[in-house]
Amino acid sequence: MAKQNAKSATTDIQNMFDPKGYQDVFKTWASTTERMTAIAVEAATRSTDIASDAAKETFSNLRDVTTVRDEAADYGKAYSDFMQKQMDLTMRTAQGFAEVNQKAGSETTDLASKTGEEVADKAASNVEGASQKASSAAKKAA
């Protein structure tokens, strides 16, 4: 009789843990990873576009500044214009990178918050179910 009770108790303990609940948690984490990757890829793609556009504009500005001038004084003006264009470009590029960074940061924060809440809810549900099963098993064993 004691052997049967020990075997029954072992089976009851194993049944306390619902694999479906844990699968749901893992699916949530996998979904979060997928969404995080999408955020990172979007930010990287946009950052690459910003850098590429800035490089193209810089090359165009270099072409303009190195053009042969008729008057010696025109070289000073060309250099001054080049420097002004480059400062403007640097400001726009930095602003573009900052916007990408801010958007990715906000999306990541929102996602982390939602995921944390979802995982906490699922974990609490799993613990509650296991607790109920443990109480039931304890009553059966008594």
Side-chain angles (χ1 to χ4, degrees), residues 61 65 74-86:
N61 291 344
V65 78
D74 292 340
Y75 286 101
K77 170 103 173 80
Y79 182 74
S80 177
D81 290 346
F82 171 77
M83 292 307 295
Q84 184 61 49
K85 288 178 185 178
Q86 286 305 111

Side-chain angles (χ1 to χ4, degrees), residues 81-122:
D81 290 346
F82 171 77
M83 292 307 295
Q84 184 61 49
K85 288 178 185 178
Q86 286 305 111
M87 285 190 300
D88 292 344
L89 175 60
T90 300
M91 294 290 285
R92 285 183 284 129
T93 302
Q95 183 179 7
F97 284 136
E99 289 169 2
V100 168
N101 189 36
Q102 183 178 11
K103 180 180 177 195
S106 294
E107 289 176 357
T108 300
T109 300
D110 291 344
L111 179 59
S113 177
K114 288 176 186 174
T115 299
E117 290 173 13
E118 192 174 331
V119 168
D121 289 345
K122 287 179 181 179

